[in-house]
Amino acid sequence: MSASDYIPKFVLPDISIDAISNEITGEVNSLKSLVAEGERDLESSNRALENSEVNITKYETQIADLASAFEFYQETKCFINDYSKLLNLKIDYIEKVENDIYALFKKRCNDTRSVRRLEQERLAIQVGIIKSESDTRVAAHHCDIPKTSPDSDEEVEQDFVKKYNAIVDRSETVMSDVRKEYSEITFVKQCFEKWKIHQRESYKNAYITQCLPRVFSPLIRLEMLGWNPLQPRCPNFEDYSWFLSLMTYGYQEVQDPSTDDPDTNLIPIVVHKVLFPKVTRLVKLCWDPFSTQQTQRLIELLKLFFEDYPCTDRKTPEKDKTSPSDSGAD
């Protein structure tokens, strides 16, 4: 047995230059694909990093804004809660002085009617309207009716003024123990104006526009306590401080004219929800249908209400539809 029989035989593959070249080319292409994928991942990571840095800056800014908004809402919430509690405590006092002033107006009207009736009866007797024998005793009785003198009229007027001033003085003490930011419309409206200007979307979503008349109503009623447009020399309601204050509610010098302002109708709504019921009650209590001057004043006032302060979306309650003639008949 020869030595060559112990040497293993190897069969070498058929290797060519093209095969080696193709193998190397495949490996290179594979590495290029890996490199390209890595570059894409790197580019994506860089973009994500840039976006993260932008978001970090954005959120850092928003944190300050959100903190400021949170603080604002907390202050607004506290103010509204305190103001609501205050009105719940004071509304009974406001209604009490209102009822007292209405009772005084009614008494004055009744006194005026009584004086006029006495004068009419005396005049009827003096001109000889009562002629029958059966009416002689009645006439004699009426002749004993005391005449109203200028002095007595002056005393009645002085008594009215004294009681009127006493009620007005008492009304001024209703809010005397309350700070200005809760007792004056100028300061109360500032809270809601800030909300409207700085957080307009939430202001709209909270339906603050619909709440404003009820927010301001107690303070307006208190300020307008002695207002009686049936009487001479009565101030125009447009001259009161609440009116002048609410006229500029939410006004901004720089404002987009295309912006829909939900509070444009605030004054007309207040007029119809606060002043109109007051006038209705005054008409029922102390309107003198025989007084041409009172009737003329009433007509001019109602004309002003409906022409200068129309409230198109107002639904007039049945009790507000009382006509002057119906009220006079009552």
Side-chain angles (χ1 to χ4, degrees):
M1 194 172 183
S2 62
S4 59
D5 293 335
Y6 294 98
I7 298 174
K9 296 179 179 180
F10 295 96
V11 179
L12 295 176
D14 186 12
I15 300 175
S16 64
I17 299 298
D18 292 336
I20 296 173
S21 176
N22 290 337
E23 185 71 20
I24 294 174
T25 301
E27 290 295 330
V28 170
N29 290 336
S30 176
L31 291 174
K32 285 182 178 179
S33 298
L34 292 176
V35 171
E37 183 178 355
E39 289 177 348
R40 288 194 298 269
D41 290 342
L42 178 62
E43 184 179 354
S44 176
S45 299
N46 289 335
R47 285 198 302 268
L49 179 61
E50 291 176 359
N51 292 335
S52 297
E53 291 175 348
V54 171
N55 288 333
I56 289 173
T57 304
K58 174 183 175 182
Y59 293 142
E60 286 177 347
T61 304
Q62 287 184 347
I63 286 175
D65 294 339
L66 291 174
S68 176
F70 177 77
E71 182 180 359
F72 168 78
Y73 284 126
Q74 287 294 101
E75 291 177 355
T76 303
K77 178 183 177 181
C78 292
F79 176 87
I80 293 176
N81 287 339
D82 292 342
Y83 185 69
S84 299
K85 293 177 182 178
L86 170 68
L87 294 185
N88 289 334
L89 291 173
K90 297 295 185 179
I91 194 65
D92 289 339
Y93 296 99
I94 295 175
E95 292 179 351
K96 178 65 170 60
V97 292
E98 276 186 327
N99 291 332
D100 290 346
I101 203 76
Y102 285 134
L104 182 62
F105 286 146
K106 183 178 181 180
K107 181 179 181 301
R108 185 187 196 187
C109 179
N110 291 337
D111 291 344
T112 302
R113 290 175 180 174
S114 297
V115 170
R116 184 173 60 239
R117 185 174 61 253
L118 292 176
E119 290 296 331
Q120 289 173 345
E121 291 176 353
R122 181 172 295 281
L123 181 61
I125 296 172
Q126 290 177 349
V127 299
I129 294 180
I130 305 177
K131 295 181 179 178
S132 65
E133 240 180 78
S134 59
D135 291 329
T136 303
R137 291 188 298 275
V138 178
H141 170 71
H142 283 288
C143 286
D144 294 332
I145 299 174
K147 294 182 179 180
T148 57
S149 64
D151 292 339
S152 62
D153 290 341
E154 184 178 349
E155 290 176 0
V156 171
E157 183 64 21
Q158 288 177 353
D159 181 64
F160 169 81
V161 172
K162 181 180 178 181
K163 292 179 179 179
Y164 175 88
N165 291 335
I167 295 174
V168 172
D169 291 342
R170 185 151 49 89
S171 71
E172 293 176 353
T173 64
V174 172
M175 293 291 186
S176 60
D177 58 340
V178 180
R179 292 184 303 183
K180 287 185 177 181
E181 55 262 38
Y182 296 99
S183 61
E184 295 184 10
I185 284 184
T186 301
F187 293 95
V188 173
K189 78 163 189 171
Q190 289 177 358
C191 171
F192 296 93
E193 280 182 320
K194 289 179 182 178
W195 191 350
K196 177 180 179 179
I197 294 172
H198 300 295
Q199 302 291 336
R200 192 177 187 87
E201 191 64 27
S202 66
Y203 177 91
K204 181 179 179 180
N205 294 336
Y207 298 100
I208 300 301
T209 297
Q210 287 77 2
C211 300
L212 289 178
R214 297 189 65 181
V215 169
F216 299 128
S217 173
L219 299 180
I220 295 174
R221 288 163 57 188
L222 196 59
E223 184 179 351
M224 300 285 288
L225 178 71
W227 183 68
N228 186 353
L230 299 176
Q231 299 301 318
R233 298 182 298 278
C234 177
N236 191 321
F237 71 90
E238 296 173 336
D239 296 331
Y240 281 84
S241 62
W242 69 265
F243 183 92
L244 301 176
S245 180
L246 295 186
M247 277 293 291
T248 59
Y249 178 83
Y251 173 75
Q252 295 176 268
E253 293 185 359
V254 180
Q255 184 170 338
D256 185 359
S258 63
T259 303
D260 182 21
D261 188 354
D263 298 316
T264 303
N265 215 28
L266 177 59
I267 291 291
I269 292 176
V270 169
V271 166
H272 284 278
K273 288 191 174 182
V274 180
L275 298 191
F276 199 89
K278 181 179 180 68
V279 173
T280 301
R281 190 169 181 182
L282 288 171
V283 167
K284 290 180 178 180
L285 292 176
C286 56
W287 174 56
D288 184 358
F290 295 102
S291 173
T292 304
Q293 293 180 347
Q294 284 193 12
T295 302
Q296 184 62 34
R297 294 188 194 105
L298 181 60
I299 292 173
E300 291 176 356
L301 179 66
L302 296 179
K303 184 177 179 181
L304 177 64
F305 280 175
F306 289 105
E307 291 186 356
D308 290 2
Y309 302 97
C311 188
T312 55
D313 59 346
R314 183 178 69 94
K315 295 182 179 179
T316 307
E318 290 297 335
K319 63 180 181 180
D320 288 344
K321 294 182 180 180
T322 307
S323 65
S325 58
D326 295 337
S327 302
D330 293 337

